[in-house]
Amino acid sequence: MTSTSGDKSSTNQPEASEVERWASLIGGGAMVLMGLRQGSLRGALTALAGGGLVYQGATKQSTIQKAQEAIGLNQPIKVEKTVTINKSAEELYRFWHDFENLPTFMKHLKSVKVYDEKRSHWIANAPLDNTVEWDADILEDRENEFISWASVEGADVDNSGFVRFKKAPGDRGTEVKVVLEYNPPGGALAATVAKLFGEEPEQQIGDELRRFKMLMEAGEIATTEGQPSGRK
Amino acid sequence: MKAVCWNGANDVRVQSVPDPTILNPRDAIIKITSTAICGSDLHIYGGYIPTVQQGDIIGHEFMGEVVEVGKGVNNLKIGDRVVVPSTIGCGNCNYCQRDMWSLCDNSNPKGWIQEKLFGNITSAIYGYSHMLGGYAGAQAEYIRVPFADVGVVKVPPDLPDEMLLFISDAIPTGYMGAELCDIQPGDTVAVWGCGAVGQFAMISAYMMGAEKVIGIDRFPERLEMAKKFAKAEVINYEEVNAGEALKEMTGGRGPDACIDAVGLEAHGVGLEDFYDQTKQKLRLETDRPHVLREMMVACRKGGTLSIMGVYGGFVDKIPLGAAFNKGLTFRMGQMHGQKYMHSLLQMILDGKLDPSFVVTHQLPLEQAPHAYHIFQQKKDNCIKVVLKP
Ligand SMILES: [Zn+2]
Ligand SMILES: [Zn+2]
């Protein structure tokens, strides 16, 4: 008994500190992707949510990724972007938490269907009128603060992400940070999916977050599409 | 409807285009009764503003009558007579709420172009390039006004358009230019450029307590106007060295504040090859960076430079040593129309300000190409053209 519990605490100790490291990275937000270079975002998020056991999965994932890189498959697409929105964290969290709202400002998404508290079905617009689909699970959900999610086994596109809401200093509202990672699959789908966020994923995510801000602050998304011009 | 469309450098045409429609709940459609050509429209006309596309409807100074409102607009009704500020603000973001409307976070749907160059996104302006939002402009029969429930000013029916039109753009620009100078009693304020914005800057400087106002230009008719309406002393910089003249007129000190109302050519947009190209063109066309340099050298120690002329990119060879060692303050920006329009309207209603003196030409919209030509070439003593759709 004594020796077992001793073993347990000795194995738990380093795992807890790893989780803490991720927690502070994701919580602090700075250089998340740098910090995650060795492992996948999904691994980090799962570890953060599920603790030590899943952490094994995270390291395994990184081995798979290294193997993929070694045989020349596409690198995962990672983006992070932050915007400050003149609204309370509660309001923003509530809107975002209903994933079915996301396509109103995320142009790369065609639709999201929420099945239950954990699982949802996502359909994304890929280039050339293609779509890609996957199921995703919420990994961690801290009210008014943090939501992370990841696609489940067998997704067209393995992906994961999180959004974090943090009060901005002064009366500036809430800092909303989004980090996303996509692992383009191999084969025919790869080329289609590689461009899910266009040529410049950072800009695309930036645009989507800006539309989120417009929608939350101004109640509508500024547009000039459909206005007259003298172009033929 | 008919609209003035840009078709390339020095080529605007009045074309038939579809009528604007409501695209968002907070939109309104305005039937334009008067629209002016602004000095900064000349930069578009001349082809100096990047991200203006062939076919774009231009113009940003306008007023008219509400003909349609979106379901999110509760404070305007069909038939209201309105003046609309040239910069578009949402009214909800942190900047709008702090009365810095031209820094609005939400009105520019193409902000990513700007973000790369400026690091941030500023408000959209009607008819002023895609970098600034790509909204269709006002030199047309109708215009779509986004966020029409904020900023737009209702005006009474009894005053003529020419009394009211310029609270859309030229007056608040000049007024803000003077306000940024933080004028103290006894101050001398020098204003480079005696076009409409310069005239209103000079008048505003006096209203804010300046003791002496000096206008600098090279066109005799503008200098005459500055003397007559703005009660300014004037310098024709083609006849005398403006820097030396300013020293003489200020007891050797230099003006306490200097306003750039030249309406600068927007210098390209960051992309380096574009910059190199335009730099040359600008050198040939205009010595406008020269105004900035001249202000920095002419201003008294510890004075203020207020920059209202449009800058879009980079300026070369700025004497920062002069500015630094003299402890100058720089203040600048697109005007926050919505902040000033109501009080400016009140001044006009109270008879304290009659801006109609700047109008030298009133022409039908169809004659826009001619109007642009005479305004650019300063022919026919042209200072301000009002187009009537
Ligand atoms: Zn203007
Ligand atoms: Zn705003």
Side-chain angles (χ1 to χ4, degrees):
Chain A
M1 283 298 281
T2 319
S3 73
T4 315
S5 74
D7 281 357
K8 208 176 178 187
S9 70
S10 69
T11 51
N12 269 356
Q13 219 44 28
E15 280 168 12
S17 74
E18 281 298 297
V19 171
E20 265 167 31
R21 187 172 66 90
W22 284 322
S24 72
L25 281 170
I26 290 164
M31 311 304 280
V32 172
L33 296 177
M34 297 283 279
L36 294 177
R37 198 137 279 175
Q38 280 99 10
S40 69
L41 176 65
R42 167 207 282 275
L45 294 173
T46 349
L48 187 63
L53 210 83
V54 199
Y55 170 61
Q56 300 303 321
T59 24
K60 226 191 272 167
Q61 191 108 16
S62 112
T63 326
I64 293 167
Q65 197 184 306
K66 275 187 190 132
Q68 280 183 336
E69 280 166 26
I71 56 172
L73 282 180
N74 280 316
Q75 298 268 345
I77 298 161
K78 295 178 175 182
V79 277
E80 65 174 309
K81 205 83 185 172
T82 306
V83 68
T84 301
I85 303 184
N86 198 16
K87 288 280 173 186
S88 69
E90 291 74 20
E91 243 176 297
L92 302 174
Y93 168 88
R94 216 179 309 128
F95 188 87
W96 193 294
H97 194 271
D98 183 355
F99 286 160
E100 294 189 6
N101 285 330
L102 299 185
T104 54
F105 61 91
M106 290 193 157
K107 277 192 182 163
H108 80 283
L109 290 176
K110 191 176 164 136
S111 69
V112 179
K113 176 97 191 92
V114 173
Y115 292 142
D116 56 40
E117 268 178 27
K118 273 226 165 317
R119 185 155 295 188
S120 47
H121 184 71
W122 301 54
I123 305 177
N125 299 308
L128 305 172
D129 288 331
N130 289 311
T131 55
V132 285
E133 306 188 18
W134 64 86
D135 278 350
D137 276 348
I138 289 183
L139 299 175
E140 199 186 0
D141 186 358
R142 295 202 299 268
E143 199 177 1
N144 304 332
E145 274 179 37
F146 183 85
I147 313 166
S148 63
W149 62 91
S151 57
V152 302
E153 202 74 18
D156 279 352
V157 193
D158 177 44
N159 70 87
S160 53
F162 72 82
V163 57
R164 189 206 58 190
F165 307 93
K166 186 177 144 202
K167 193 184 177 320
D171 57 354
R172 293 174 181 85
T174 305
E175 293 170 6
V176 181
K177 179 183 191 67
V178 172
V179 176
L180 295 176
E181 184 184 289
Y182 281 72
N183 291 294
L189 208 53
T192 311
V193 170
K195 288 191 177 172
L196 204 55
F197 288 101
E199 300 290 333
E200 293 178 78
E202 290 277 350
Q203 183 200 307
Q204 293 262 20
I205 303 297
D207 277 354
E208 301 196 324
L209 267 185
R210 208 144 46 231
R211 284 195 290 270
F212 178 52
K213 176 180 162 75
M214 287 172 179
L215 194 61
M216 293 294 98
E217 287 184 350
E220 61 186 40
I221 296 169
T223 185
T224 54
E225 274 170 46
Q227 67 175 15
S229 83
R231 279 180 283 282
K232 290 289 171 276
Chain B
M1 65 165 181
K2 296 261 173 276
V4 179
C5 300
W6 186 82
N7 275 274
N10 303 315
D11 180 9
V12 297
R13 298 174 201 168
V14 179
Q15 289 173 236
S16 270
V17 302
D19 287 349
T21 53
I22 301 276
L23 299 176
N24 263 337
R26 295 173 67 186
D27 289 355
I29 305 294
I30 310 291
K31 181 185 197 310
I32 292 164
T33 54
S34 289
T35 174
I37 304 179
C38 176
S40 54
D41 287 332
L42 290 181
H43 310 325
I44 292 184
Y45 180 61
Y48 294 116
I49 303 286
T51 74
V52 178
Q53 293 172 11
Q54 190 258 334
D56 282 348
I57 303 170
I58 54 179
H60 58 266
E61 191 166 38
F62 65 103
M63 63 179 295
E65 190 188 308
V66 177
V67 292
E68 199 183 341
V69 292
K71 58 181 190 298
V73 182
N74 302 315
N75 56 345
L76 291 178
K77 58 180 193 309
I78 290 161
D80 280 346
R81 188 182 190 213
V82 293
V83 182
V84 182
S86 55
T87 53
I88 304 170
C90 75
N92 305 106
C93 70
N94 214 273
Y95 289 98
C96 286
Q97 291 194 340
R98 286 152 68 201
D99 244 352
M100 293 187 275
W101 296 76
S102 75
L103 305 180
C104 177
D105 278 337
N106 292 324
S107 62
N108 187 343
K110 297 174 186 172
W112 60 271
I113 310 176
Q114 254 194 355
E115 191 167 36
K116 287 188 172 170
L117 295 165
F118 300 161
N120 290 101
I121 297 163
T122 65
S123 81
I125 298 178
Y126 296 99
Y128 215 83
S129 85
H130 289 260
M131 178 174 78
L132 291 175
Y135 286 91
Q139 289 162 15
E141 289 179 275
Y142 296 91
I143 189 168
R144 166 187 166 241
V145 171
F147 307 116
D149 56 322
V150 292
V152 168
V153 179
K154 281 192 240 186
V155 292
D158 46 332
L159 289 174
D161 278 13
E162 288 63 43
M163 293 277 287
L164 302 166
L165 170 62
F166 304 114
I167 57 176
S168 165
D169 188 57
I171 309 179
T173 306
Y175 188 86
M176 178 165 149
E179 193 186 71
L180 295 183
C181 293
D182 190 21
I183 295 166
Q184 304 298 313
D187 273 2
T188 297
V189 178
V191 179
W192 274 254
C194 297
V197 170
Q199 301 287 339
F200 295 130
M202 291 185 274
I203 290 170
S204 304
Y206 274 127
M207 288 195 298
M208 291 171 199
E211 186 163 308
K212 179 150 71 177
V213 172
I214 302 169
I216 303 156
D217 208 301
R218 65 190 164 110
F219 295 105
E221 64 273 16
R222 287 166 187 251
L223 294 168
E224 268 318 301
M225 191 181 265
K227 273 198 268 188
K228 187 170 172 207
F229 291 98
K231 309 283 181 254
E233 294 180 24
V234 297
I235 294 172
N236 184 332
Y237 68 84
E238 280 188 341
E239 289 169 5
V240 297
N241 178 302
E244 283 168 20
L246 282 168
K247 276 278 169 68
E248 281 312 304
M249 293 161 86
T250 55
R253 301 182 303 275
D256 300 285
C258 299
I259 301 177
D260 172 354
V262 176
L264 277 164
E265 305 288 14
H267 284 234
V269 168
L271 312 165
E272 271 177 85
D273 58 332
F274 185 86
Y275 167 54
D276 285 327
Q277 262 181 45
T278 16
K279 193 166 71 173
Q280 267 192 320
K281 275 196 213 159
L282 292 175
R283 288 270 165 84
L284 294 171
E285 279 288 316
T286 166
D287 43 82
R288 274 157 186 182
H290 171 75
V291 166
L292 255 190
R293 293 183 202 117
E294 198 164 70
M295 295 207 313
M296 291 162 85
V297 175
C299 193
R300 78 146 159 85
K301 291 178 282 182
T304 301
L305 303 193
S306 161
I307 305 166
M308 299 311 291
V310 173
Y311 289 82
F314 301 90
V315 209
D316 252 18
K317 296 189 175 63
I318 286 300
L320 200 64
F324 174 79
N325 286 291
K326 289 165 69 173
L328 300 184
T329 298
F330 281 57
R331 302 190 71 187
M332 63 192 88
Q334 297 279 7
M335 62 95 184
H336 307 305
Q338 296 86 335
K339 175 182 177 184
Y340 302 108
M341 289 172 71
H342 287 92
S343 54
L344 290 170
L345 171 65
Q346 199 52 52
M347 282 183 212
I348 293 168
L349 296 177
D350 293 346
K352 290 179 188 153
L353 175 64
D354 180 352
S356 59
F357 72 90
V358 295
V359 180
T360 53
H361 291 73
Q362 220 182 74
L363 296 166
L365 187 74
E366 282 74 17
Q367 288 187 35
H370 169 70
Y372 269 90
H373 178 73
I374 59 166
F375 188 29
Q376 185 196 49
Q377 303 295 319
K378 307 293 178 274
K379 285 187 176 161
D380 200 15
N381 293 340
C382 181
I383 295 176
K384 192 75 174 176
V385 188
V386 174
L387 298 171
K388 294 283 184 180

